[in-house]
Amino acid sequence: MQFTPEHEAVRDTLLRFIDREINPHVEEWETAEIFPAHEVFRSLGRLGLLGLTKPEAYGGSGLDWSFAMVMAETLGRIRCGGVPMAIGVQTDMATPALARFGSDELRREFLVPSITGEFVACLGVSETEAGSDVASIRTTARSDGGDYVIDGGKMWTTNGTQADWMCLLANTGDGPAHRNKSLLCVPMNTPGVSISRKIRKIGMMASDTAQVHFDGVRVPQRFRIGEEGQGFTYQMLQFQEERLWAAATLLQSLQSCIEETIAYTRERKLFGSTVLAQQWVHFSLAELQTELESLRALTYRAVEMLVRGEDVTQLASMAKLKAGRLARQIPDSCLQFWGGMGYTMENPVSRLYRDGRLTSIGGGADEVMLSIIAKQMGILARR
Ligand SMILES: Cc1cc2nc3c(=O)[nH]c(=O)nc-3n(C[C@H](O)[C@H](O)[C@H](O)COP(=O)(O)OP(=O)(O)OC[C@H]3O[C@@H](n4cnc5c(N)ncnc54)[C@H](O)[C@@H]3O)c2cc1C
C-alpha cells in the first residue's frame, strides 16, 4: 500500500481533531452511554472527512477507498470503540449504497446532509428474529399508490436514538428472498417510527444502540435506493465496505493495546525484574505483533483490490474474520499481563477487551464469514 502526501494530510487532520475534540470527552461519553453525534459529525463534515470517497457532485471528495481505510485506521486512535463505530456507520455502512445507486434527487436529499454532518445516518438491516440470516428479515414496505407503507422493526440500530434517517432493508415484494427486498431512505421523524428502547451493552458504551419500531410508516416510493427488488444485492455490496472498515479501524487500536502493554510491563516490577523481562510475556507480545501485521497485510491487499475495482468478497470476509479473532486474542492476552489493573474499568486494554468483542458478531458473525469464504473457495454452493 503506497501512502501519498494526500493520505498523510487526511491522517494528520483527523488526528488533530481526535486529540482536540474527541479524546478529551471520551470518558464522559462512555459514562453517559451516548455521544453528541450531530455536534461531532458537523465538525467532521466541516473538515471534509465524512465524504472522502463520495462523489464530488454531492459534496464528497471523490477519492478512492484507500482514503477511507486511512480514516478508519486513524479513528482507531480514539480511546474507545463506540465513537469510531458510529462514524463508520455514517461514512461506510449506511451511505455506500445510496451514493452508488440512489437517484440524483435522493442523493441531494439524504447524502449531501450526511456528508456535511447535518444529518446522522443509521443502518436498519438486523431484526429481533433475523441477524446472520439477512434474507429472512420480516419488515415489509407495501406499495400503496405512490408510497410504501412500512411495518415491522429493526434491532441493534447503531446511532438509532439520534439518527435523522435510516437506510432500511425491507421486503417490498413476495418473490424469492434474495430478490424481494429494497433499500429505502426513511426519515426517522416520519409518523409511525418509534424508538422502542435504547439497548444497554457490555461495550461500545459511547455508541447508542436502538430497537426501532415501524407502524404504518408512509414514505414516497422515490425514497427507494435504486431498483425495487435489488436491496439484498445492494446490501451485500455495502457489507464489503463495512467489513473492510471494521478490519481497518482495529489495526490502530490493537497496535495501541500492544504498545501500552509494553510500556506498562516495562515499568512493573516483580521477582527482581520486570513483567516485560519474563520471556513468556515478551514472546507473547512478539507473537501478537506478528499476528497484527498479518491482519494489516490482508487488509491492505483487500483494499488495493477494491481500489482496482476487483471483487473483494473473499478477502474482505477474511480480513473481517481475522480482525474478529485478533480483537479477542490481543486484548485478552494483553489484559493478563496487566494483572489486577487489567481487570479495572479505567484500563484502555479492558475497554478494548469489551469493545472489540463485537467484531466477531456485528456486520456478519465469524461463522458467516467462514461460510462466505467456503463458498468463494468452491467448497459450498453459492446461492
Ligand atoms: C452493538 C451492536 C451494534 C450493531 N449495529 C447494527 C446496525 O447499526 N445495523 C444493523 O442492521 N445491525 C447491527 N447490529 C447487528 C449485528 O450485525 C448482528 O448482531 C449480527 O449480524 C448477528 O446477528 P444476531 O445477533 O441476530 O445473531 P444470530 O443471527 O442469532 O446468530 C447467533 C450466532 O449464531 C452463529 N451463526 C450464525 N450464522 C452461522 C452459520 N452460518 N453457521 C454457524 N453458526 C452461525 C454465530 O455464532 C452467531 O453469533 C449490531 C449489533 C450489535 C451487538
Side-chain angles (χ1 to χ4, degrees), residues 85 89 123-127 130-133 155-158 201 209 358 361-365 367-368 371:
M85 176 171 73
V89 166
L123 175 67
V125 175
S126 308
E127 301 185 352
S132 304
D133 186 3
M155 185 69 179
W156 312 115
T157 311
T158 300
K201 313 180 294 294
T209 312
L358 179 62
I361 299 169
E367 293 84 348
V368 173
S371 93

Side-chain angles (χ1 to χ4, degrees), residues 74-124:
T74 311
L75 287 172
R77 289 271 185 195
I78 295 178
R79 297 189 72 76
C80 70
V83 176
M85 176 171 73
I87 297 169
V89 166
Q90 180 88 356
T91 57
D92 288 281
M93 302 178 202
T95 50
L98 172 62
R100 206 173 279 139
F101 302 109
S103 68
D104 177 57
E105 185 186 22
L106 206 58
R107 287 188 278 187
R108 293 201 184 285
E109 209 156 333
F110 293 96
L111 187 61
V112 169
S114 302
I115 290 172
T116 60
E118 188 193 331
F119 278 5
V120 172
C122 65
L123 175 67

Side-chain angles (χ1 to χ4, degrees), residues 134-137 169-182 228-233 383:
V134 174
S136 71
I137 59 160
L169 186 70
N171 295 308
T172 46
D174 297 322
H178 300 100
R179 291 202 292 274
N180 71 346
K181 299 178 176 34
S182 301
E228 192 171 69
Q230 287 300 307
F232 185 85
T233 304
R383 275 190 289 232

Side-chain angles (χ1 to χ4, degrees), residues 41-210:
F41 287 7
R42 270 195 290 267
S43 301
L44 285 167
R46 275 195 293 276
L47 293 170
L49 291 169
L50 295 180
L52 291 174
T53 60
K54 299 295 190 300
E56 288 174 274
Y58 302 98
S61 303
L63 297 165
D64 68 50
W65 211 82
S66 64
F67 286 85
M69 198 212 66
V70 165
M71 175 161 171
E73 210 179 332
T74 311
L75 287 172
R77 289 271 185 195
I78 295 178
R79 297 189 72 76
C80 70
V83 176
M85 176 171 73
I87 297 169
V89 166
Q90 180 88 356
T91 57
D92 288 281
M93 302 178 202
T95 50
L98 172 62
R100 206 173 279 139
F101 302 109
S103 68
D104 177 57
E105 185 186 22
L106 206 58
R107 287 188 278 187
R108 293 201 184 285
E109 209 156 333
F110 293 96
L111 187 61
V112 169
S114 302
I115 290 172
T116 60
E118 188 193 331
F119 278 5
V120 172
C122 65
L123 175 67
V125 175
S126 308
E127 301 185 352
T128 51
E129 302 296 324
S132 304
D133 186 3
V134 174
S136 71
I137 59 160
R138 293 187 186 164
T139 297
T140 55
R142 180 174 46 80
S143 286
D144 185 31
D147 294 338
Y148 284 115
V149 179
I150 305 162
D151 287 287
K154 292 291 165 180
M155 185 69 179
W156 312 115
T157 311
T158 300
N159 297 344
T161 70
Q162 312 188 64
D164 298 282
W165 70 280
M166 174 186 280
C167 174
L168 170 80
L169 186 70
N171 295 308
T172 46
D174 297 322
H178 300 100
R179 291 202 292 274
N180 71 346
K181 299 178 176 34
S182 301
L183 282 178
L184 309 176
C185 296
V186 179
M188 296 293 276
N189 61 1
T190 313
V193 178
S194 57
I195 307 301
S196 321
R197 67 185 166 120
K198 184 176 168 209
I199 301 166
R200 297 205 67 206
K201 313 180 294 294
I202 63 165
M204 298 291 196
M205 304 305 250
S207 158
D208 58 301
T209 312

